Amino acid sequence: MPTADGKCRVGVLALQGSVVEHLDRLKQCGAEAEAVKTLPGLMEVDGLIIPGGESTTMGKLLKAFGLLDPLKKRIREGLPVWGTCAGLIL
């Protein structure tokens, strides 16, 4: 849900990869950006960036933390997602 001032919250999947770099750039642009590591965090963002890293490792971590199926469901329901490098492959 958008914040009280109407801004959308953009999450960066923070399981592995270039998380800090993506968060820094988003914040420099004035975005409400946050690291997403949990199911509640995934459910609260209005958009998600899946950063570069190692796609096999990210896939395994998504499964291990119970995030893979909820992430797929949110994407099917219209969650805007942008993947960079390995995030795009995932």
Side-chain angles (χ1 to χ4, degrees), residues 42 67-81:
L42 176 62
L67 294 173
L68 185 59
D69 289 333
L71 176 58
K72 287 180 182 180
K73 184 176 187 285
R74 288 233 41 217
I75 292 170
R76 282 192 300 271
E77 293 172 349
L79 178 71
V81 177

Side-chain angles (χ1 to χ4, degrees), residues 13-73:
L13 186 64
L15 300 180
Q16 189 266 341
S18 55
V19 176
V20 172
E21 294 84 354
H22 283 78
L23 288 170
D24 287 346
R25 292 292 179 204
L26 287 165
K27 289 176 183 176
Q28 287 174 0
C29 294
E32 296 286 333
E34 58 192 73
V36 172
K37 299 178 183 180
T38 64
L39 182 56
L42 176 62
M43 301 312 287
E44 293 173 0
V45 295
D46 301 302
L48 184 69
I49 293 176
I50 303 175
E54 206 290 306
S55 60
T56 304
T57 300
M58 282 190 274
K60 288 179 180 179
L61 289 171
L62 282 167
K63 287 179 186 175
F65 290 109
L67 294 173
L68 185 59
D69 289 333
L71 176 58
K72 287 180 182 180
K73 184 176 187 285

